[in-house]
mmCIF file of all heavy atoms in Angstrom:
data_model
loop_
_atom_site.group_PDB
_atom_site.id
_atom_site.type_symbol
_atom_site.label_atom_id
_atom_site.label_comp_id
_atom_site.label_asym_id
_atom_site.label_seq_id
_atom_site.Cartn_x
_atom_site.Cartn_y
_atom_site.Cartn_z
ATOM 1 N N ARG A 140 -2.859 16.423 5.492
ATOM 2 C CA ARG A 140 -3.238 17.808 5.800
ATOM 3 C C ARG A 140 -4.573 17.867 6.516
ATOM 4 O O ARG A 140 -4.816 18.739 7.347
ATOM 5 C CB ARG A 140 -3.295 18.640 4.510
ATOM 6 C CG ARG A 140 -1.954 19.165 4.044
ATOM 7 C CD ARG A 140 -2.103 20.255 3.003
ATOM 8 N NE ARG A 140 -2.679 19.775 1.769
ATOM 9 C CZ ARG A 140 -1.975 19.254 0.762
ATOM 10 N NH1 ARG A 140 -0.653 19.162 0.859
ATOM 11 N NH2 ARG A 140 -2.567 18.839 -0.332
ATOM 12 N N HIS A 141 -5.454 16.952 6.192
ATOM 13 C CA HIS A 141 -6.812 16.986 6.738
ATOM 14 C C HIS A 141 -7.037 15.943 7.835
ATOM 15 O O HIS A 141 -7.895 16.144 8.696
ATOM 16 C CB HIS A 141 -7.821 16.784 5.607
ATOM 17 C CG HIS A 141 -7.689 17.793 4.513
ATOM 18 N ND1 HIS A 141 -8.097 19.094 4.658
ATOM 19 C CD2 HIS A 141 -7.158 17.699 3.266
ATOM 20 C CE1 HIS A 141 -7.847 19.766 3.540
ATOM 21 N NE2 HIS A 141 -7.287 18.942 2.687
ATOM 22 N N HIS A 142 -6.276 14.844 7.800
ATOM 23 C CA HIS A 142 -6.460 13.767 8.773
ATOM 24 C C HIS A 142 -5.097 13.252 9.232
ATOM 25 O O HIS A 142 -4.647 12.182 8.803
ATOM 26 C CB HIS A 142 -7.286 12.636 8.164
ATOM 27 C CG HIS A 142 -8.665 13.047 7.768
ATOM 28 N ND1 HIS A 142 -9.599 13.473 8.680
ATOM 29 C CD2 HIS A 142 -9.258 13.136 6.542
ATOM 30 C CE1 HIS A 142 -10.726 13.791 8.043
ATOM 31 N NE2 HIS A 142 -10.540 13.605 6.754
ATOM 32 N N PRO A 143 -4.434 13.999 10.106
ATOM 33 C CA PRO A 143 -3.074 13.614 10.499
ATOM 34 C C PRO A 143 -2.994 12.315 11.288
ATOM 35 O O PRO A 143 -1.925 11.706 11.340
ATOM 36 C CB PRO A 143 -2.614 14.805 11.354
ATOM 37 C CG PRO A 143 -3.869 15.475 11.809
ATOM 38 C CD PRO A 143 -4.856 15.289 10.702
ATOM 39 N N ASP A 144 -4.097 11.873 11.889
ATOM 40 C CA ASP A 144 -4.045 10.696 12.759
ATOM 41 C C ASP A 144 -4.750 9.469 12.185
ATOM 42 O O ASP A 144 -4.811 8.430 12.845
ATOM 43 C CB ASP A 144 -4.667 11.029 14.120
ATOM 44 C CG ASP A 144 -3.925 12.154 14.826
ATOM 45 O OD1 ASP A 144 -2.682 12.168 14.764
ATOM 46 O OD2 ASP A 144 -4.591 13.027 15.423
ATOM 47 N N LEU A 145 -5.278 9.558 10.986
ATOM 48 C CA LEU A 145 -6.013 8.427 10.409
ATOM 49 C C LEU A 145 -5.029 7.321 10.015
ATOM 50 O O LEU A 145 -4.046 7.582 9.318
ATOM 51 C CB LEU A 145 -6.792 8.892 9.174
ATOM 52 C CG LEU A 145 -7.715 7.861 8.518
ATOM 53 C CD1 LEU A 145 -8.849 7.468 9.457
ATOM 54 C CD2 LEU A 145 -8.289 8.432 7.218
ATOM 55 N N PRO A 146 -5.258 6.085 10.446
ATOM 56 C CA PRO A 146 -4.357 4.998 10.052
ATOM 57 C C PRO A 146 -4.338 4.801 8.532
ATOM 58 O O PRO A 146 -5.388 4.810 7.881
ATOM 59 C CB PRO A 146 -4.952 3.770 10.755
ATOM 60 C CG PRO A 146 -5.719 4.320 11.912
ATOM 61 C CD PRO A 146 -6.284 5.620 11.415
ATOM 62 N N VAL A 147 -3.149 4.626 7.985
ATOM 63 C CA VAL A 147 -2.962 4.407 6.547
ATOM 64 C C VAL A 147 -1.967 3.277 6.359
ATOM 65 O O VAL A 147 -0.919 3.239 7.017
ATOM 66 C CB VAL A 147 -2.441 5.672 5.840
ATOM 67 C CG1 VAL A 147 -2.174 5.388 4.363
ATOM 68 C CG2 VAL A 147 -3.423 6.833 5.983
ATOM 69 N N THR A 148 -2.271 2.358 5.456
ATOM 70 C CA THR A 148 -1.385 1.251 5.119
ATOM 71 C C THR A 148 -1.140 1.243 3.612
ATOM 72 O O THR A 148 -2.093 1.324 2.829
ATOM 73 C CB THR A 148 -1.991 -0.097 5.554
ATOM 74 O OG1 THR A 148 -2.165 -0.101 6.973
ATOM 75 C CG2 THR A 148 -1.084 -1.252 5.157
ATOM 76 N N VAL A 149 0.121 1.130 3.233
ATOM 77 C CA VAL A 149 0.507 1.072 1.827
ATOM 78 C C VAL A 149 1.033 -0.326 1.525
ATOM 79 O O VAL A 149 1.983 -0.793 2.167
ATOM 80 C CB VAL A 149 1.594 2.115 1.498
ATOM 81 C CG1 VAL A 149 2.029 1.989 0.035
ATOM 82 C CG2 VAL A 149 1.098 3.527 1.799
ATOM 83 N N PHE A 150 0.431 -0.993 0.561
ATOM 84 C CA PHE A 150 0.913 -2.285 0.072
ATOM 85 C C PHE A 150 1.801 -2.026 -1.137
ATOM 86 O O PHE A 150 1.351 -1.432 -2.129
ATOM 87 C CB PHE A 150 -0.264 -3.180 -0.333
ATOM 88 C CG PHE A 150 -1.111 -3.649 0.816
ATOM 89 C CD1 PHE A 150 -2.133 -2.857 1.319
ATOM 90 C CD2 PHE A 150 -0.889 -4.894 1.390
ATOM 91 C CE1 PHE A 150 -2.927 -3.286 2.379
ATOM 92 C CE2 PHE A 150 -1.676 -5.343 2.451
ATOM 93 C CZ PHE A 150 -2.687 -4.535 2.941
ATOM 94 N N SER A 151 3.040 -2.469 -1.088
ATOM 95 C CA SER A 151 3.953 -2.205 -2.197
ATOM 96 C C SER A 151 5.212 -3.044 -2.069
ATOM 97 O O SER A 151 5.663 -3.303 -0.946
ATOM 98 C CB SER A 151 4.337 -0.725 -2.242
ATOM 99 O OG SER A 151 5.236 -0.467 -3.313
ATOM 100 N N PRO A 152 5.819 -3.443 -3.188
ATOM 101 C CA PRO A 152 7.123 -4.092 -3.111
ATOM 102 C C PRO A 152 8.239 -3.094 -2.839
ATOM 103 O O PRO A 152 9.353 -3.486 -2.500
ATOM 104 C CB PRO A 152 7.285 -4.723 -4.499
ATOM 105 C CG PRO A 152 6.484 -3.834 -5.398
ATOM 106 C CD PRO A 152 5.308 -3.392 -4.571
ATOM 107 N N TYR A 153 7.942 -1.788 -3.015
ATOM 108 C CA TYR A 153 8.955 -0.750 -2.841
ATOM 109 C C TYR A 153 8.859 -0.137 -1.444
ATOM 110 O O TYR A 153 7.757 0.076 -0.936
ATOM 111 C CB TYR A 153 8.751 0.372 -3.856
ATOM 112 C CG TYR A 153 8.508 -0.081 -5.266
ATOM 113 C CD1 TYR A 153 7.292 0.193 -5.891
ATOM 114 C CD2 TYR A 153 9.484 -0.778 -5.974
ATOM 115 C CE1 TYR A 153 7.057 -0.221 -7.192
ATOM 116 C CE2 TYR A 153 9.253 -1.198 -7.284
ATOM 117 C CZ TYR A 153 8.028 -0.914 -7.883
ATOM 118 O OH TYR A 153 7.795 -1.329 -9.169
ATOM 119 N N PRO A 154 9.987 0.193 -0.835
ATOM 120 C CA PRO A 154 9.930 0.980 0.400
ATOM 121 C C PRO A 154 9.271 2.326 0.105
ATOM 122 O O PRO A 154 9.497 2.910 -0.962
ATOM 123 C CB PRO A 154 11.406 1.160 0.786
ATOM 124 C CG PRO A 154 12.142 0.120 0.013
ATOM 125 C CD PRO A 154 11.367 -0.114 -1.250
ATOM 126 N N ILE A 155 8.443 2.803 1.008
ATOM 127 C CA ILE A 155 7.810 4.098 0.769
ATOM 128 C C ILE A 155 8.783 5.207 1.142
ATOM 129 O O ILE A 155 9.640 5.033 2.008
ATOM 130 C CB ILE A 155 6.474 4.238 1.522
ATOM 131 C CG1 ILE A 155 6.674 4.131 3.040
ATOM 132 C CG2 ILE A 155 5.485 3.180 1.047
ATOM 133 C CD1 ILE A 155 5.391 4.366 3.822
ATOM 134 N N PRO A 156 8.689 6.348 0.458
ATOM 135 C CA PRO A 156 9.650 7.436 0.703
ATOM 136 C C PRO A 156 9.631 7.908 2.149
ATOM 137 O O PRO A 156 8.596 7.881 2.816
ATOM 138 C CB PRO A 156 9.173 8.544 -0.249
ATOM 139 C CG PRO A 156 8.419 7.828 -1.319
ATOM 140 C CD PRO A 156 7.761 6.670 -0.638
ATOM 141 N N ARG A 157 10.775 8.354 2.622
ATOM 142 C CA ARG A 157 10.866 8.903 3.969
ATOM 143 C C ARG A 157 9.963 10.129 4.086
ATOM 144 O O ARG A 157 9.805 10.890 3.139
ATOM 145 C CB ARG A 157 12.299 9.312 4.272
ATOM 146 C CG ARG A 157 13.244 8.140 4.475
ATOM 147 C CD ARG A 157 14.576 8.621 5.001
ATOM 148 N NE ARG A 157 15.474 7.515 5.298
ATOM 149 C CZ ARG A 157 16.623 7.642 5.925
ATOM 150 N NH1 ARG A 157 17.013 8.838 6.344
ATOM 151 N NH2 ARG A 157 17.386 6.586 6.147
ATOM 152 N N GLY A 158 9.407 10.274 5.265
ATOM 153 C CA GLY A 158 8.552 11.429 5.506
ATOM 154 C C GLY A 158 7.088 11.171 5.240
ATOM 155 O O GLY A 158 6.246 11.991 5.601
ATOM 156 N N LEU A 159 6.752 10.025 4.601
ATOM 157 C CA LEU A 159 5.342 9.691 4.388
ATOM 158 C C LEU A 159 4.839 8.938 5.613
ATOM 159 O O LEU A 159 5.354 7.869 5.961
ATOM 160 C CB LEU A 159 5.161 8.846 3.125
ATOM 161 C CG LEU A 159 5.429 9.551 1.799
ATOM 162 C CD1 LEU A 159 5.058 8.625 0.645
ATOM 163 C CD2 LEU A 159 4.647 10.862 1.687
ATOM 164 N N ASP A 160 3.843 9.486 6.260
ATOM 165 C CA ASP A 160 3.339 8.949 7.514
ATOM 166 C C ASP A 160 2.332 7.847 7.232
ATOM 167 O O ASP A 160 1.125 8.079 7.153
ATOM 168 C CB ASP A 160 2.701 10.079 8.326
ATOM 169 C CG ASP A 160 2.260 9.628 9.705
ATOM 170 O OD1 ASP A 160 2.625 8.505 10.105
ATOM 171 O OD2 ASP A 160 1.549 10.400 10.373
ATOM 172 N N ALA A 161 2.845 6.634 7.036
ATOM 173 C CA ALA A 161 1.977 5.490 6.744
ATOM 174 C C ALA A 161 2.713 4.210 7.103
ATOM 175 O O ALA A 161 3.948 4.168 7.134
ATOM 176 C CB ALA A 161 1.583 5.472 5.277
ATOM 177 N N ASP A 162 1.957 3.166 7.380
ATOM 178 C CA ASP A 162 2.527 1.838 7.554
ATOM 179 C C ASP A 162 2.770 1.228 6.186
ATOM 180 O O ASP A 162 2.011 1.465 5.239
ATOM 181 C CB ASP A 162 1.575 0.955 8.349
ATOM 182 C CG ASP A 162 1.371 1.459 9.761
ATOM 183 O OD1 ASP A 162 2.361 1.572 10.497
ATOM 184 O OD2 ASP A 162 0.222 1.770 10.112
ATOM 185 N N HIS A 163 3.815 0.424 6.086
ATOM 186 C CA HIS A 163 4.154 -0.224 4.825
ATOM 187 C C HIS A 163 4.073 -1.733 5.000
ATOM 188 O O HIS A 163 4.696 -2.293 5.898
ATOM 189 C CB HIS A 163 5.567 0.175 4.379
ATOM 190 C CG HIS A 163 6.049 -0.569 3.175
ATOM 191 N ND1 HIS A 163 7.297 -1.147 3.097
ATOM 192 C CD2 HIS A 163 5.435 -0.847 2.003
ATOM 193 C CE1 HIS A 163 7.428 -1.734 1.924
ATOM 194 N NE2 HIS A 163 6.310 -1.573 1.236
ATOM 195 N N VAL A 164 3.276 -2.368 4.134
ATOM 196 C CA VAL A 164 3.247 -3.823 4.063
ATOM 197 C C VAL A 164 3.999 -4.223 2.804
ATOM 198 O O VAL A 164 3.611 -3.842 1.689
ATOM 199 C CB VAL A 164 1.802 -4.365 4.024
ATOM 200 C CG1 VAL A 164 1.810 -5.863 3.761
ATOM 201 C CG2 VAL A 164 1.081 -4.066 5.327
ATOM 202 N N GLU A 165 5.093 -4.956 2.971
ATOM 203 C CA GLU A 165 5.866 -5.396 1.809
ATOM 204 C C GLU A 165 5.051 -6.439 1.055
ATOM 205 O O GLU A 165 4.764 -7.520 1.574
ATOM 206 C CB GLU A 165 7.208 -5.968 2.260
ATOM 207 C CG GLU A 165 8.156 -6.223 1.111
ATOM 208 C CD GLU A 165 9.561 -6.571 1.578
ATOM 209 O OE1 GLU A 165 9.955 -6.089 2.671
ATOM 210 O OE2 GLU A 165 10.240 -7.311 0.869
ATOM 211 N N TYR A 166 4.689 -6.084 -0.158
ATOM 212 C CA TYR A 166 3.750 -6.912 -0.927
ATOM 213 C C TYR A 166 4.357 -7.209 -2.289
ATOM 214 O O TYR A 166 4.625 -6.296 -3.079
ATOM 215 C CB TYR A 166 2.418 -6.169 -1.078
ATOM 216 C CG TYR A 166 1.417 -6.851 -1.979
ATOM 217 C CD1 TYR A 166 0.691 -7.957 -1.545
ATOM 218 C CD2 TYR A 166 1.194 -6.391 -3.274
ATOM 219 C CE1 TYR A 166 -0.219 -8.591 -2.377
ATOM 220 C CE2 TYR A 166 0.276 -7.010 -4.104
ATOM 221 C CZ TYR A 166 -0.426 -8.111 -3.655
ATOM 222 O OH TYR A 166 -1.329 -8.733 -4.490
ATOM 223 N N HIS A 167 4.594 -8.485 -2.545
ATOM 224 C CA HIS A 167 5.137 -8.931 -3.831
ATOM 225 C C HIS A 167 4.134 -9.876 -4.471
ATOM 226 O O HIS A 167 3.572 -10.755 -3.798
ATOM 227 C CB HIS A 167 6.474 -9.651 -3.632
ATOM 228 C CG HIS A 167 7.547 -8.789 -3.046
ATOM 229 N ND1 HIS A 167 8.387 -8.018 -3.804
ATOM 230 C CD2 HIS A 167 7.900 -8.574 -1.745
ATOM 231 C CE1 HIS A 167 9.231 -7.366 -3.020
ATOM 232 N NE2 HIS A 167 8.951 -7.683 -1.759
ATOM 233 N N SER A 168 3.916 -9.736 -5.751
ATOM 234 C CA SER A 168 2.959 -10.590 -6.441
ATOM 235 C C SER A 168 3.324 -10.654 -7.917
ATOM 236 O O SER A 168 3.749 -9.650 -8.507
ATOM 237 C CB SER A 168 1.533 -10.049 -6.281
ATOM 238 O OG SER A 168 0.625 -10.807 -7.048
ATOM 239 N N ALA A 169 3.139 -11.837 -8.495
ATOM 240 C CA ALA A 169 3.362 -12.010 -9.927
ATOM 241 C C ALA A 169 2.129 -11.622 -10.743
ATOM 242 O O ALA A 169 2.167 -11.629 -11.975
ATOM 243 C CB ALA A 169 3.742 -13.466 -10.217
ATOM 244 N N LEU A 170 1.047 -11.268 -10.055
ATOM 245 C CA LEU A 170 -0.176 -10.896 -10.752
ATOM 246 C C LEU A 170 -0.023 -9.554 -11.451
ATOM 247 O O LEU A 170 0.817 -8.725 -11.087
ATOM 248 C CB LEU A 170 -1.341 -10.803 -9.760
ATOM 249 C CG LEU A 170 -1.771 -12.099 -9.077
ATOM 250 C CD1 LEU A 170 -2.769 -11.785 -7.962
ATOM 251 C CD2 LEU A 170 -2.384 -13.062 -10.084
ATOM 252 N N HIS A 171 -0.857 -9.316 -12.448
ATOM 253 C CA HIS A 171 -0.960 -8.002 -13.081
ATOM 254 C C HIS A 171 -1.368 -6.990 -12.011
ATOM 255 O O HIS A 171 -2.164 -7.308 -11.122
ATOM 256 C CB HIS A 171 -2.010 -8.057 -14.193
ATOM 257 C CG HIS A 171 -2.073 -6.850 -15.060
ATOM 258 N ND1 HIS A 171 -2.593 -5.644 -14.633
ATOM 259 C CD2 HIS A 171 -1.690 -6.651 -16.356
ATOM 260 C CE1 HIS A 171 -2.541 -4.769 -15.612
ATOM 261 N NE2 HIS A 171 -1.982 -5.346 -16.664
ATOM 262 N N PRO A 172 -0.840 -5.743 -12.051
ATOM 263 C CA PRO A 172 -1.217 -4.759 -11.035
ATOM 264 C C PRO A 172 -2.724 -4.571 -10.869
ATOM 265 O O PRO A 172 -3.190 -4.318 -9.747
ATOM 266 C CB PRO A 172 -0.548 -3.475 -11.527
ATOM 267 C CG PRO A 172 0.667 -3.949 -12.240
ATOM 268 C CD PRO A 172 0.231 -5.223 -12.931
ATOM 269 N N LEU A 173 -3.496 -4.703 -11.947
ATOM 270 C CA LEU A 173 -4.943 -4.535 -11.847
ATOM 271 C C LEU A 173 -5.603 -5.743 -11.188
ATOM 272 O O LEU A 173 -6.731 -5.648 -10.711
ATOM 273 C CB LEU A 173 -5.549 -4.265 -13.227
ATOM 274 C CG LEU A 173 -5.093 -2.951 -13.873
ATOM 275 C CD1 LEU A 173 -5.569 -2.875 -15.317
ATOM 276 C CD2 LEU A 173 -5.604 -1.753 -13.083
ATOM 277 N N GLN A 174 -4.901 -6.873 -11.149
ATOM 278 C CA GLN A 174 -5.360 -8.027 -10.371
ATOM 279 C C GLN A 174 -4.898 -7.907 -8.916
ATOM 280 O O GLN A 174 -5.629 -8.271 -7.996
ATOM 281 C CB GLN A 174 -4.824 -9.310 -11.001
ATOM 282 C CG GLN A 174 -5.352 -9.572 -12.415
ATOM 283 C CD GLN A 174 -4.611 -10.700 -13.114
ATOM 284 O OE1 GLN A 174 -3.400 -10.863 -12.934
ATOM 285 N NE2 GLN A 174 -5.316 -11.458 -13.933
ATOM 286 N N GLN A 175 -3.693 -7.375 -8.746
ATOM 287 C CA GLN A 175 -3.191 -7.166 -7.385
ATOM 288 C C GLN A 175 -4.126 -6.271 -6.572
ATOM 289 O O GLN A 175 -4.295 -6.465 -5.364
ATOM 290 C CB GLN A 175 -1.809 -6.517 -7.435
ATOM 291 C CG GLN A 175 -0.710 -7.403 -7.976
ATOM 292 C CD GLN A 175 0.624 -6.695 -7.996
ATOM 293 O OE1 GLN A 175 0.940 -5.920 -7.094
ATOM 294 N NE2 GLN A 175 1.423 -6.943 -9.024
ATOM 295 N N LYS A 176 -4.714 -5.294 -7.239
ATOM 296 C CA LYS A 176 -5.599 -4.364 -6.540
ATOM 297 C C LYS A 176 -6.700 -5.104 -5.787
ATOM 298 O O LYS A 176 -6.961 -4.814 -4.609
ATOM 299 C CB LYS A 176 -6.200 -3.372 -7.534
ATOM 300 C CG LYS A 176 -7.245 -2.445 -6.943
ATOM 301 C CD LYS A 176 -7.715 -1.445 -7.976
ATOM 302 C CE LYS A 176 -8.913 -0.660 -7.500
ATOM 303 N NZ LYS A 176 -9.330 0.379 -8.477
ATOM 304 N N VAL A 177 -7.332 -6.058 -6.451
ATOM 305 C CA VAL A 177 -8.420 -6.787 -5.799
ATOM 306 C C VAL A 177 -7.859 -7.674 -4.694
ATOM 307 O O VAL A 177 -8.489 -7.867 -3.657
ATOM 308 C CB VAL A 177 -9.221 -7.600 -6.827
ATOM 309 C CG1 VAL A 177 -10.453 -8.216 -6.171
ATOM 310 C CG2 VAL A 177 -9.652 -6.721 -8.009
ATOM 311 N N ASP A 178 -6.663 -8.192 -4.893
ATOM 312 C CA ASP A 178 -6.042 -9.025 -3.868
ATOM 313 C C ASP A 178 -5.814 -8.234 -2.583
ATOM 314 O O ASP A 178 -6.127 -8.717 -1.489
ATOM 315 C CB ASP A 178 -4.719 -9.568 -4.396
ATOM 316 C CG ASP A 178 -4.081 -10.572 -3.449
ATOM 317 O OD1 ASP A 178 -4.824 -11.297 -2.757
ATOM 318 O OD2 ASP A 178 -2.843 -10.635 -3.403
ATOM 319 N N VAL A 179 -5.267 -7.016 -2.682
ATOM 320 C CA VAL A 179 -4.956 -6.281 -1.445
ATOM 321 C C VAL A 179 -6.216 -5.818 -0.730
ATOM 322 O O VAL A 179 -6.190 -5.624 0.494
ATOM 323 C CB VAL A 179 -3.998 -5.089 -1.698
ATOM 324 C CG1 VAL A 179 -2.687 -5.559 -2.294
ATOM 325 C CG2 VAL A 179 -4.638 -4.000 -2.531
ATOM 326 N N LEU A 180 -7.319 -5.660 -1.444
ATOM 327 C CA LEU A 180 -8.569 -5.331 -0.751
ATOM 328 C C LEU A 180 -8.891 -6.409 0.281
ATOM 329 O O LEU A 180 -9.385 -6.117 1.368
ATOM 330 C CB LEU A 180 -9.724 -5.207 -1.748
ATOM 331 C CG LEU A 180 -9.629 -4.123 -2.819
ATOM 332 C CD1 LEU A 180 -10.868 -4.168 -3.714
ATOM 333 C CD2 LEU A 180 -9.463 -2.736 -2.218
ATOM 334 N N ARG A 181 -8.582 -7.657 -0.069
ATOM 335 C CA ARG A 181 -8.863 -8.779 0.834
ATOM 336 C C ARG A 181 -7.877 -8.851 1.996
ATOM 337 O O ARG A 181 -8.101 -9.584 2.958
ATOM 338 C CB ARG A 181 -8.818 -10.092 0.053
ATOM 339 C CG ARG A 181 -9.701 -10.101 -1.191
ATOM 340 C CD ARG A 181 -9.717 -11.444 -1.881
ATOM 341 N NE ARG A 181 -8.374 -11.945 -2.147
ATOM 342 C CZ ARG A 181 -8.095 -13.236 -2.346
ATOM 343 N NH1 ARG A 181 -9.052 -14.140 -2.270
ATOM 344 N NH2 ARG A 181 -6.862 -13.612 -2.618
ATOM 345 N N LYS A 182 -6.783 -8.110 1.915
ATOM 346 C CA LYS A 182 -5.743 -8.164 2.934
ATOM 347 C C LYS A 182 -5.764 -6.953 3.864
ATOM 348 O O LYS A 182 -4.871 -6.786 4.699
ATOM 349 C CB LYS A 182 -4.365 -8.255 2.255
ATOM 350 C CG LYS A 182 -4.194 -9.487 1.373
ATOM 351 C CD LYS A 182 -2.823 -9.507 0.716
ATOM 352 C CE LYS A 182 -2.695 -10.657 -0.271
ATOM 353 N NZ LYS A 182 -2.881 -11.984 0.329
#
C-alpha cells in the first residue's frame, strides 16, 4: 500500500500465495526456524 515498487524477497519452503507481489526463494532447511532466520539474513 505504501511502497508498491520496493523489491521484496520471501524465503520459504512453501509457494507464496497468488497475488502477493514478491520474489520467492525456495528455501529448505533442517534447522530450527529461529536458527533459519539468522541463516537467511546472510543470503
